[in-house]
Every structure is written in structure tokens, then in C-alpha cells.
Amino acid sequence: MNIGLLMFPDAEELDFVGPYEVFTMSNEVFELEGKPEPDRVILISEDGNPVRCRKGMTIAAHESIATAPKLDVLLIPGGQGTRTEVNNETLMAWVAEVDKSTTWTTSVCTGALLLTGSGVAKGKRVTTHWAFVDQLAARGEAADVLKNIRYVRDGKIVTAAGVSAGIDMALWLVGQWHGEQHARNTQRAMEYDPAPPYTAAV
């Protein structure tokens, strides 16, 4: 599997770093089991250059949109940068082209804006960050923008709500192509067992 995570200026870090951890931890679990690494996880920026994200983290890309291989999975993060990139005709055309051959096309948080804006999620049921639901719905591109749900699948389009919800979606995706037990093993390897701090402190 070639799994591509798109990056752009002002992307929200955890939106793609969380899923990156899931996908690469899945590979590590396979390695511990003595199996070859099955998935290539690729960070992609428009020009292949490093990207400064919303909270100031700078991330180096593995590929540009011109050099990236054919993708089985595309993941688009959210962040304030989506408001600019939705008007980036080059990037939107690339998303639409890549979607033609993916098995899964996905987003986290306001990344759903780029899926609807590029047309690949037009007429689909999607979700996004709770604070952006009404704005995305007002664009009239999605069939419905669902509230209070961690992730939504409509065909091969999978959208996750804000930030940490991308981890949940990524684990579900790993289960789709490697089986539920492997996804559970990946979750355990990550020590991912959410307990909100104020609950955990009781």
C-alpha cells in the first residue's frame, strides 16, 4: 500500500502526524511478527519542500505532488491552511486526479473542505471539526455534514472530525486492509487507550 499524507502551510500537525504514527506503527508491528513491511507511508507537499504547520512545526516532505507514486490511500489534514488551499487550483486538480485510482480518500478535521472543494466528496456524507460543521454545510457541496461523530464513511470517502479523531479513523483503516486483530495490536503498541485527563485523574 502507498499511503500519501498531504501537507501544506498551516496544516494542523496532529491531523496527519497522528495517522502517520498509526500507519508506521502498523509496519513496526508486522516487523516484530517477522513479516515484511507492507506499507509505504509518504509525506507529500505541493513542491516537495518542507512545510511549516499551524503550531510552528516544520516537516520535511518525502515527495512532491509531481513525484509522488500512485497512491492507494490519500489523507488530507485540516488546519487554517485549508481555507487558502481550497482555492489552489493546482492542488485541487491533483486531489481530484489522485482520487480516481485510490482505494480510500480521506480527511481529518477541516481537510474535508479540500475533499468537497475538489469535487471528490461532492454529494457525500462527511464530518469535520465541530466548529467548522456549519461553514462546510453552508457551501452546499456535501450531501450532509454530520455532527458528534468521530469518523464517517461514504463509499471510499472517509472523513474524521477534529485532530485526534484522525487516529481513530487511521486505526479503522488499518483494520480494513490488515484485519481487525492487527489494528488492535497496533493500537496496543501505541498505548492508545483514550482516557481524558480529568477522567483519568479521578
Side-chain angles (χ1 to χ4, degrees):
M1 298 280 284
N2 282 331
I3 305 168
L5 288 73
L6 181 65
M7 306 185 303
F8 44 81
D10 275 343
E12 185 68 32
E13 286 87 342
L14 192 61
D15 283 6
F16 66 90
V17 173
Y20 184 91
E21 177 69 17
V22 172
F23 300 141
T24 55
M25 184 64 78
S26 167
N27 284 341
E28 288 195 4
V29 170
F30 274 123
E31 288 175 8
L32 290 172
E33 295 171 350
K35 300 175 183 178
E37 184 175 302
D39 300 320
R40 181 182 177 199
V41 187
I42 308 159
L43 296 172
I44 303 167
S45 67
E46 182 175 357
D47 56 11
N49 290 329
V51 170
R52 187 182 187 279
C53 301
R54 182 62 178 169
K55 302 299 194 304
M57 182 183 290
T58 298
I59 303 288
H62 299 129
E63 303 283 352
S64 70
I65 62 174
T67 63
K70 182 178 178 180
L71 299 178
D72 300 290
V73 180
L74 173 63
L75 184 144
I76 300 177
Q80 195 63 36
T82 57
R83 282 67 158 181
T84 299
E85 299 305 327
V86 73
N87 298 314
N88 181 339
E89 294 182 2
T90 299
L91 197 62
M92 292 299 90
W94 180 80
V95 169
E97 184 63 28
V98 169
D99 174 70
K100 292 177 181 177
S101 57
T102 57
T103 301
W104 300 101
T105 299
T106 73
S107 68
V108 180
C109 195
T110 59
L113 173 61
L114 303 192
L115 293 188
T116 61
S118 65
V120 304
K122 186 175 182 179
K124 299 286 188 179
R125 296 162 62 248
V126 301
T127 193
T128 188
H129 191 283
W130 59 265
F132 195 67
V133 167
D134 291 341
Q135 294 176 64
L136 186 59
R139 290 175 62 92
E141 296 161 340
D144 196 6
V145 184
L146 303 181
K147 300 178 180 180
N148 303 318
I149 190 166
R150 295 290 279 176
Y151 57 90
V152 174
R153 174 192 177 182
D154 190 337
K156 71 170 187 175
I157 303 296
V158 190
T159 53
V163 197
S164 67
I167 296 173
D168 296 359
M169 179 186 73
L171 283 165
W172 180 83
L173 287 165
V174 166
Q176 294 303 296
W177 58 71
H178 292 310
E180 182 177 326
Q181 187 56 54
H182 178 76
R184 291 185 182 279
N185 292 344
T186 300
Q187 177 182 351
R188 185 169 186 269
M190 291 173 60
E191 291 270 11
Y192 181 60
D193 187 15
Y198 298 112
T199 300
V202 172

